[in-house]
Amino acid sequence: MLRRLWDRPSPIGLDIGTCTIKAIQLDSGRNEVLELAEVDVPRLPNDPQVAESIIAQCIQDLLKRRRFWGRRVALALGFDEITVQSIRVSPLPGKNIGDVVLEEARSRTNLELNDVEIRFLPAGIVQQGELQRQEMVLIVAKRTAIERKLRIAQQARVIPVAIDAEPLALVRAAGRQYRRQSDQNQTMMFVHIGSRATLVVTVRNERLLFAKYFSLGGREFDLTLARQFHIPEDSARALRRSYGDRRVAQRDPEVVATVQDTLRPVWNRWLEELSRCFRYCNVTFRGEPAEKIVLSGGEAAPELQDVVSRFFEIPVDLLDCFRGIKCTSRIVDSAVWDIALGLALHSGRAQRESRDTVSVEEPSGAPT
């Protein structure tokens, strides 16, 4: 199908996760899903080169099966590929704020600046004692991780127009869905729950206030059940999924009670980590407390929504990624498409001069 240049669709948002790879492409106005698909990723070997080849083959197979337009993709760096933290700096007379942030980053990361890409976003002015300081969200990406994504893209014969950071993709996807004025005036905490880790971002008026990963996710839930019932991890995951996906009236009360009792200690550890993020934001940004929590990612489910709601006693939603975006496909678990959607919403233009995204120009001689 031929398209005019100005009708060119979005880049394909390619979310390479631990268990699945998801791909979404939107129309030029970013208002309609043109195509979406996902594929399971097999258990990867320890050999990095072989693992990269398997992922690249999965991407090729995925794109061949569906009618995606072109080969331009936006990729993301995630939990073990970037470091995200909040820092505070004081502007110095005659010194660029970027240089001040880089000096602070050098002292905190213990990494050579030549080995990383650093981006930062101003979160706002905060009070620290009698001083006012600038709060920054610092994102440090390992060059080795960027190079790995580029190698996978080359093997998959796709053209990476952007290598984004997961927190920014999540903010972009969430911001697309919460656009009403009442939403803009709220401080909202978005929680992406993946297999190995949980990502927390706090946003107000489309401004990123806070971002953090902590290493608790669905796999820890599965391992907890596996140890308790002496079953393989895959069986534990199937048990957790099967009882949770059934309608309430169809659930066996004894199974529900046993699974929930087993999971409660790990849920409590997860909630305590989430609570630390919640308290930090409420103390740092006084007068702008979080008023809503929104869950997304592969582990977002009504059961966990209920657990979080009872713990925090504020409204808790599941992210509906396709609210306000036309999608002809029937999507059962909309919340799992958050990162892929955020990547598809990327402009697709190189932004090396910007400090809010890690981007790359389209390489010369790239496959078409």
Side-chain angles (χ1 to χ4, degrees):
M1 180 172 58
L2 297 177
R3 291 180 182 271
R4 294 170 297 182
L5 180 61
W6 52 88
D7 286 339
R8 186 164 70 171
S10 75
I12 301 167
L14 203 57
D15 175 19
I16 304 173
T18 304
C19 303
T20 63
I21 297 175
K22 298 179 178 64
I24 296 181
Q25 189 169 44
L26 306 175
D27 67 350
S28 59
R30 306 321 196 245
N31 296 312
E32 180 179 357
V33 175
L34 298 181
E35 190 59 278
L36 82 168
E38 67 177 317
V39 64
D40 290 336
V41 176
R43 191 176 295 276
L44 297 174
N46 293 327
D47 186 319
Q49 291 184 342
V50 175
E52 289 173 14
S53 296
I54 292 173
I55 293 171
Q57 187 61 56
C58 287
I59 293 171
Q60 282 190 308
D61 295 343
L62 176 67
L63 298 183
K64 283 178 182 177
R65 291 208 311 258
R66 297 297 183 93
R67 297 183 63 184
F68 289 98
W69 190 85
R71 281 291 185 262
R72 300 164 64 252
V73 301
L75 304 167
L77 299 173
F79 168 58
D80 54 359
E81 299 167 319
I82 58 174
T83 300
V84 185
Q85 62 183 138
S86 296
I87 64 172
R88 293 176 189 173
V89 296
S90 298
L92 299 175
K95 198 161 189 177
N96 184 286
I97 188 66
D99 294 333
V100 176
V101 172
L102 289 177
E103 287 182 7
E104 183 70 15
R106 185 184 293 111
S107 68
R108 285 171 173 262
T109 60
N110 294 320
L111 292 172
E112 292 293 332
L113 294 186
N114 290 335
D115 296 333
V116 297
E117 285 279 349
I118 296 177
R119 301 293 185 266
F120 57 87
L121 295 91
I125 302 297
V126 300
Q127 194 73 31
Q128 185 170 333
E130 297 181 356
L131 300 175
Q132 286 191 332
R133 306 189 72 189
Q134 175 70 61
E135 182 95 357
M136 295 283 189
V137 177
L138 184 70
I139 302 175
V140 181
K142 302 173 184 176
R143 287 190 185 274
T144 53
I146 298 172
E147 291 164 358
R148 176 175 180 268
K149 284 291 195 293
L150 292 175
R151 286 195 302 270
I152 291 172
Q154 183 177 33
Q155 291 184 57
R157 298 187 61 78
V158 294
I159 305 171
V161 296
I163 299 181
D164 206 2
E166 271 188 355
L168 303 181
L170 178 56
V171 170
R172 202 178 294 118
R176 181 65 174 75
Q177 309 313 314
Y178 289 90
R179 305 173 73 178
R180 296 173 300 184
Q181 189 60 46
S182 58
D183 298 326
Q184 295 294 306
N185 292 332
Q186 282 188 318
T187 300
M188 305 176 73
M189 178 175 282
F190 295 93
V191 183
H192 168 92
I193 315 154
S195 174
R196 295 180 300 155
T198 296
L199 167 63
V200 181
V201 301
T202 302
V203 179
R204 185 179 180 89
N205 291 327
E206 298 184 359
R207 185 174 90 250
L208 180 62
L209 303 178
F210 172 85
K212 182 182 179 180
Y213 284 99
F214 59 86
S215 56
L216 262 177
R219 185 157 188 255
E220 186 66 26
F221 302 159
D222 295 335
L223 289 173
T224 300
L225 285 179
R227 287 191 292 264
Q228 175 67 25
F229 295 111
H230 306 288
I231 57 178
E233 183 182 339
D234 290 345
S235 299
R237 181 174 180 80
L239 170 63
R240 190 165 61 86
R241 291 286 185 178
S242 63
Y243 99 87
D245 289 343
R246 294 175 184 168
R247 296 181 182 276
V248 174
Q250 297 175 333
R251 296 179 183 177
D252 184 326
E254 289 189 18
V255 173
V256 171
T258 302
V259 171
Q260 290 184 345
D261 286 346
T262 302
L263 289 175
R264 191 161 288 112
V266 70
W267 278 348
N268 288 340
R269 285 197 290 123
W270 183 84
L271 286 168
E272 184 53 39
E273 290 287 349
L274 191 59
S275 180
R276 290 192 182 99
C277 299
F278 188 84
R279 290 196 301 269
Y280 179 87
C281 292
N282 286 356
V283 170
T284 300
F285 302 100
R286 300 179 189 277
E288 299 182 344
E291 301 164 78
K292 179 180 288 187
I293 295 174
V294 182
L295 307 181
S296 65
E299 297 300 329
E303 180 181 55
L304 200 55
Q305 178 186 14
D306 181 59
V307 169
V308 175
S309 180
R310 285 187 277 108
F311 186 86
F312 286 97
E313 298 183 339
I314 62 173
V316 179
D317 291 347
L318 294 178
L319 182 64
D320 181 0
C321 286
F322 302 106
R323 185 181 76 178
I325 296 180
K326 185 178 179 181
C327 183
T328 56
S329 301
R330 182 176 178 272
I331 306 299
V332 177
D333 297 319
S334 170
V336 307
W337 292 91
D338 52 349
I339 302 300
L341 177 62
L343 293 171
L345 288 167
H346 194 284
S347 67
R349 293 190 297 271
Q351 298 175 333
R352 281 193 183 276
E353 73 283 357
S354 170
R355 293 189 181 273
D356 68 351
T357 185
V358 179
S359 299
V360 296
E361 282 89 7
E362 294 187 8
S364 60
T368 59

